[in-house]
Amino acid sequence: MIKKIFIQKSPIHAPVSALFAWHEKDGAINRLTPPWAPLSLVARTGRGIDKGVEVTFKIKIFGIPMKWQARHIGYKKNAMFRDCQIKGPFAHWEHSHLFHERSPDITVMEDQVRFSLPFGIFSLPFYGYAKRELSRMFFYRHQVLKYDMENRVGKIQKKRILISGGSGAIGKTLVSFLRTCGHEVICLVRDSSVRDLNKQSQDVHFWDPYSNVLDMDAIGPVDAVINLNGVDISKGKWTFSQRAKILNSRVISTQVLVEKMRQMPHPPSTFISASAIGFYGDGGQSRLTEESEGSDCFISRVCRQWEAASLGAMDAGIRTVQLRIGVVLTPAGGALERMLQPFLMGLGTRLADGKQYMSWIGMEDVLGGILHILGNKEIRGPVNLTAPEPVTNREFTHTLAGILGRRAPFVLPKAAVLALWGEMGKETLLASARVMPEKLIKSGYKFVHPKLGMALCHVLGRVPQKTDGKM
């Protein structure tokens, strides 16, 4: 059997005990998983990274779904732990996580992967590709780990946080992020399979907002509630029934959470409820801040009702934040996921004249922004969760194509957008929203990825041409 070894090392300004303890936290593996290769837990025996623990994940490789089962086979506190593949895509896989103490405040993180591809000598031409993919993955992992350890872990006041909508692209990432930062996170789920998988866990509770089912007594006291519910607005045309789903999935869930919080003997101190920059409608070339007025289009009306449903929490004395979220950049969901394959195929397309502004935000700043809001008691009311440098659709198209090393030669005319998607296309693809995160900036938040190219390189595993010490 042909065996190869891959090694990645990074110095991290953190004590070895803190770095090792981070890896033992729930959520660590999900926090380190690149968004272009998402995995989901389907089975687990034991907890943490102790010897003998087994985990099974669903993962996609070359677009093909498969299961990857691994077992932890070695453990030495503050020095190493090791896992190996039991079943999966490799003929052999053994991953050693090594921790080298350079000084009391600096640790070298070393990942060693010994692997073999299936099909013996017939796999030889693919080892170069495999090593390049491992390089992408571990560069991402070490960047995330280094930034979190040096800027977030140990710098927060631990909170007990309840999250609804934790199964979406933002929610899944946020849950793992908050846990590895040191918070305790409880998730509300409606999917019975998720509930059954975690039936012994105190971190997962079932709810049904449409039937007003939510037992806050079973959950116990919480410091904050984060509400991320909402049917995807960008899938298909907005038929009458789809409009109702879009509105009800947001308003009803928010109303139930507010009602249950108000009934608690000791309500949480903070309620963060999602909204969207669709609140502003088509703003043309104007710079939009939290003080700007909303529009009268469908999605703007939805956002107004969504935000209004959260105001009952504010009336009860709970610090309430309406999070107006921009276009979140992640290949694990949303707009970028749908754009990625056509762009990789050289079919990148500008929408109409491309002059409409896109107010984007990198996933790291979604996470960092929410963490910042949780810890800053002065922030309340509407908050624009967008990057400080919105770009036009023309600029976005050019930047994404350049990072992928492809051309984007096509234009989809306005008439075609309207014919294909109707009002949804008009309000989400053709509307211009030049939204500025004024409250975040004034409150002192420092963006991890203030520029589009930086954010895209990070979530797509591409090495940026220039670096400034940020991720």
Side-chain angles (χ1 to χ4, degrees), residues 139 143 403 448-458 462-471:
F139 178 79
Q143 287 281 290
I403 286 171
V448 182
H449 298 137
K451 296 185 179 297
L452 178 62
M454 297 167 62
L456 287 173
C457 283
H458 179 68
R462 308 285 168 154
V463 179
Q465 297 300 310
K466 296 180 180 179
T467 61
D468 57 3
K470 293 184 178 180
M471 292 170 59

Side-chain angles (χ1 to χ4, degrees), residues 229-239 242-251 274-283 288 293-308 323-327 422-433 435:
N229 281 286
V231 168
D232 189 345
I233 66 168
S234 61
K235 290 186 176 180
K237 289 188 175 182
W238 288 343
T239 62
Q242 184 66 9
R243 285 170 181 259
K245 289 178 182 178
I246 289 170
L247 179 64
N248 292 336
S249 65
R250 289 159 170 78
V251 174
S275 182
I277 59 171
F279 174 90
Y280 302 108
D282 190 343
L288 303 170
E293 296 293 330
S295 177
D296 193 37
C297 61
F298 168 69
I299 199 61
S300 181
R301 294 193 296 271
V302 168
C303 288
R304 281 203 301 275
Q305 293 182 61
W306 196 3
E307 293 184 11
L323 210 57
R324 293 176 181 168
I325 305 172
V327 179
E423 194 172 358
M424 187 277 285
K426 178 182 178 181
E427 294 191 19
T428 65
L429 302 178
L430 299 178
S432 180
V435 181

